[in-house]
Amino acid sequence: SSLRTISITKNQFSGTISTDISSLKQLENMYAESNKIRSSIPTEIALMENIRVLDLSQNYLTGEIPQDVGNLKRLEYFALSGNGGLSGPLPSSLFELKSLQYIYFQENSLTGKIPSSIGMYQDLVGLNLGSNEFTGSLPNGLYNLTNLMFLYLHENSLGGSISDKIGQLTALTQLSLYGNPFTGTIPSSLGLCEELENLYLHETNLHGTVPEEVCALTMKSLVPQEYNALSADCYPDIETLVPFITCGCCDICCDHVTLECVTAVME
């Protein structure tokens, strides 16, 4: 088939993904998000060797992401978000796709650790693994993604500390880490990320004080507009009246225990 683009977004298509998808060898763009497809991802998808955009978000996909996706060498945009039933770890072959610029896998049931080999994506611009079941700490390879603009890792089970190396991600405009049991303090090196527009650090075990270098961003890029810009667990504890983290510049303060958040009153 010489078909180059399929767009069936926001229809009521149901059924499964046929193994005949392998015949679409010239296909470059497949937009199939927001349907009612109930299926696993067939291994035959590996034969779509010219695919650049593959969006299967907001369906009812189940099972694991097959290792065969490693054959999609031209893939630039890969979206599987909002399927819920996708499970298992990220396939190791995924990190062989050097052309990938956007990975949107949020709102699934993916597990395991985020491998350090994620640092192989030198051209990666957007990474969303939020609302899954990932564990472990932030891998060192993550800090090599110097072109990354959007990083969403919220609502997982990621722990450990946030390395000072996060300041190397100077292209970041969106950083969402809330809803993870991170420990330690907020690194002052985040102040080097001068393009940051949103920084979400609430519902964690981070403690101490939001560094002055980070607060300084509220005079630059971290300025509340349509969305809140900076959040942390800075609401006073209901018993001790002492906040879990001190922040003089947050526009959203959350209670570390009840997880309730309020708009901060800025002086």
Side-chain angles (χ1 to χ4, degrees):
S1 173
S2 60
L3 189 64
R4 299 297 176 92
T5 298
I6 292 177
S7 182
I8 56 172
T9 299
K10 294 183 179 179
N11 284 285
Q12 298 292 316
F13 289 113
S14 57
T16 62
I17 301 175
S18 172
T19 56
D20 291 336
I21 199 171
S22 61
S23 65
L24 302 175
K25 297 185 186 301
Q26 300 302 315
L27 194 69
E28 296 181 358
N29 307 292
M30 184 173 183
Y31 303 96
E33 68 270 25
S34 301
N35 282 289
K36 296 183 178 180
I37 300 171
R38 299 178 184 273
S39 173
S40 59
I41 301 174
T43 58
E44 287 79 6
I45 203 170
L47 299 177
M48 299 167 62
E49 55 191 24
N50 285 300
I51 197 77
R52 295 178 183 274
V53 175
L54 181 56
D55 193 342
L56 300 172
S57 300
Q58 304 297 326
N59 281 286
Y60 298 93
L61 300 182
T62 57
E64 298 190 1
I65 303 171
Q67 287 285 352
D68 306 79
V69 299
N71 292 325
L72 306 179
K73 302 299 184 185
R74 298 188 179 184
L75 194 60
E76 299 173 1
Y77 183 101
F78 196 9
L80 298 172
S81 61
N83 278 289
L86 285 175
S87 59
L90 297 174
S92 58
S93 63
L94 183 69
F95 305 102
E96 299 172 7
L97 305 181
K98 303 299 192 300
S99 296
L100 270 176
Q101 297 178 31
Y102 298 92
I103 300 174
Y104 292 136
F105 288 178
Q106 69 269 27
E107 297 176 10
N108 281 293
S109 300
L110 299 172
T111 58
K113 297 182 178 181
I114 301 173
S116 195
S117 51
I118 201 166
M120 301 295 289
Y121 292 130
Q122 294 301 309
D123 296 326
L124 198 64
V125 175
L127 176 63
N128 194 335
L129 300 178
S131 300
N132 278 286
E133 299 173 19
F134 290 109
T135 56
S137 57
L138 298 180
N140 282 328
L142 184 70
Y143 306 117
N144 294 332
L145 303 178
T146 53
N147 290 311
L148 199 63
M149 296 178 65
F150 315 108
L151 178 57
Y152 304 98
L153 299 176
H154 53 268
E155 294 182 336
N156 279 284
S157 296
L158 299 169
S161 60
I162 301 173
S163 171
D164 288 336
K165 293 179 181 179
I166 201 165
Q168 297 173 186
L169 305 182
T170 55
L172 277 179
T173 64
Q174 309 284 327
L175 178 57
S176 182
L177 299 178
Y178 74 87
N180 286 287
F182 291 118
T183 56
T185 58
I186 298 172
S188 60
S189 61
L190 267 173
L192 298 174
C193 302
E194 295 186 346
E195 303 299 321
L196 266 179
E197 297 174 0
N198 299 97
L199 175 59
Y200 301 131
L201 299 172
H202 59 284
E203 295 179 27
T204 68
N205 290 326
L206 295 170
H207 63 273
T209 301
V210 175
E212 292 181 3
E213 293 87 346
V214 175
C215 282
L217 295 178
T218 62
M219 303 300 293
K220 300 176 183 178
S221 55
L222 273 178
V223 181
Q225 297 177 8
E226 182 179 355
Y227 300 100
N228 298 108
L230 175 58
S231 68
D233 292 334
C234 49
Y235 191 78
D237 182 272
I238 194 171
E239 294 183 358
T240 66
L241 301 181
V242 177
F244 198 75
I245 194 166
T246 302
C247 183
C249 58
C250 293
D251 58 327
I252 286 291
C253 280
C254 301
D255 187 312
H256 183 70
V257 177
T258 67
L259 306 183
E260 294 182 2
C261 299
V262 298
T263 302
V265 178
M266 306 300 291
E267 297 182 355

